[in-house]
Amino acid sequence: MPVIDRRSLIAVGAALGLAPAARAVPQEVPADFVRMPLWPGKPPGSDGVTAQEQESLRTPNSPKDDTAFVHVTRPTLTMLRAPKPNGAALLLIPGGGYRRVAIGHEGYEIARRFAAAGYHCYILAYRLPADGWTAGPDAPLQDAQRALRIVRSRAAADGFDPVKIGMIGFSAGGHLAARLASTSDKPVYLAKDAIDALPLSAMVAGLLYPVVLLDGPNIHTGSRNEMLGTAPAPDRARAYSADNRIAPGTPPSFLAHALDDRSVPPENSLAMLAALRNAKVPSEMHLFETGGHGFGLALPDGTPSPWPELFMTFARRHGMP
């Protein structure tokens, strides 16, 4: 069994409501999913990276598909085809506090829900900023930009409209999705091939209990520390807060958060909503009484959360099927 280092076992759960991974598991893709590499060859800025990628159960009692990646060195997209395609696609960006990528809980599970509704789904396993990449806090954004372009490049082969692409990010993945949504005018890596000439635009963005603020009293400390260190300069922390730059081309954005979230305070979503409104970006937000952090598809009593239907209604209002 591979050894999981101390950094991977530190209490992510205390910050994110998730228990540390209990044991390593084989990197097996669930049935019906297809995994593909993100980059031709090594990712940008790989020189000097010594991290060892591992996939482990997200919690000690997780089923075999509920896994999380740590120290991602081979970023990937994992696709699930819709049994009855509606002509659109979604890029899903799981969370994990920028310490890991919870590809089971906020990837496979979410993809199955939206594939059943007709969307081809592509789950991003992205590099983490503290693993020594040259781009540092922009390494995850490099992967997210590349992922969006790969999804667009597959439109003809996979059978969807290349314009009708949305994204949904969760927790720290929500921070990454928000940054991706606002960088259609600002590529953060040098082109590798013809795919990198494709647009970075999306039709709609969903931000679920997102990390937004990296400065001030309502930050998620773990995400901030992983991105910028324990004592970043205030102007640097503000620059990387997701509400800091709502650029032209930011797509209509849907937010959902639980008011009892003790890991990422709902003030994060409220700040993002205010910034979107100030930039005149169409937006909608739902605040749920209960749910805590990382609620995924279920309410605390185990019943289905209403947010997927609410998101799809919002998405249809803005051009998605």
Side-chain angles (χ1 to χ4, degrees), residues 23 53 58 86 111 139 188 194 231 239 248 253 255 279 288 314 317:
R23 58 183 178 87
E53 181 174 304
R58 184 175 63 94
N86 64 8
V188 293
S253 298
L255 299 101
F288 301 116
F314 177 81
R317 195 159 61 243

Side-chain angles (χ1 to χ4, degrees), residues 34-316:
V34 177
R35 181 162 293 162
M36 62 196 80
L38 208 61
W39 300 97
K42 292 182 178 180
S46 297
D47 292 346
V49 174
T50 60
Q52 297 294 311
E53 181 174 304
Q54 296 165 342
E55 185 179 10
S56 301
L57 294 179
R58 184 175 63 94
T59 72
N61 298 316
S62 289
K64 66 178 182 177
D65 287 351
D66 187 7
T67 63
F69 283 101
V70 294
H71 308 309
V72 175
T73 58
R74 297 166 294 176
T76 58
L77 278 174
T78 303
M79 177 191 179
L80 179 64
R81 295 179 181 273
K84 296 181 179 179
N86 64 8
L90 290 175
L91 174 62
L92 304 178
I93 308 180
Y98 284 122
R99 288 181 183 265
R100 60 180 184 170
V101 180
I103 196 168
H105 179 60
E106 292 164 346
Y108 304 143
E109 186 178 14
I110 305 296
R112 291 184 178 104
R113 172 66 181 85
F114 282 98
Y119 295 93
H120 289 320
C121 293
Y122 302 80
I123 308 163
L124 174 61
Y126 50 92
R127 289 171 293 154
L128 302 169
D131 281 339
W133 306 99
T134 300
D138 285 333
L141 183 57
Q142 290 178 335
D143 290 348
Q145 289 189 346
R146 175 74 180 179
L148 182 56
R149 285 168 162 156
I150 288 177
V151 172
R152 179 159 279 116
S153 77
R154 295 184 61 88
D158 292 342
F160 61 88
D161 187 331
V163 174
K164 294 181 179 179
I165 300 172
M167 66 179 81
I168 309 177
F170 303 83
S171 191
H175 181 267
L176 182 51
R179 294 189 71 206
L180 175 61
S182 292
T183 56
S184 60
D185 62 336
K186 187 183 178 184
V188 293
Y189 65 92
L190 297 177
K192 296 283 188 179
D193 52 31
I195 289 172
D196 291 325
L198 296 175
L200 285 171
S201 57
M203 184 163 277
V204 67
L207 308 177
L208 272 291
Y209 38 89
V211 172
V212 172
L213 303 171
L214 299 184
D215 67 326
N218 294 305
I219 67 169
H220 177 248
T221 303
S223 295
R224 191 277 312 276
N225 291 353
E226 292 297 312
M227 287 203 78
L228 303 175
T230 57
D235 58 343
R236 181 169 168 80
R238 183 67 193 130
Y240 278 91
S241 294
D243 63 329
N244 182 58
R245 183 179 183 272
I246 309 298
T250 298
S253 298
F254 172 96
L255 299 101
H257 219 118
L259 288 170
D260 63 350
D261 190 332
R262 295 185 180 181
S263 296
V264 178
E267 283 77 8
N268 282 258
S269 284
L270 290 166
M272 191 69 190
L273 179 67
L276 291 164
R277 284 171 51 80
N278 187 58
K280 296 180 168 44
V281 175
S283 51
E284 178 173 310
M285 181 173 176
H286 295 269
L287 291 172
F288 301 116
E289 179 184 5
T290 60
H293 189 71
F295 51 78
L297 294 176
L299 295 173
D301 63 2
T303 59
S305 173
W307 77 261
E309 290 294 340
L310 294 168
F311 170 79
M312 287 187 284
T313 298
F314 177 81
R316 284 192 289 269

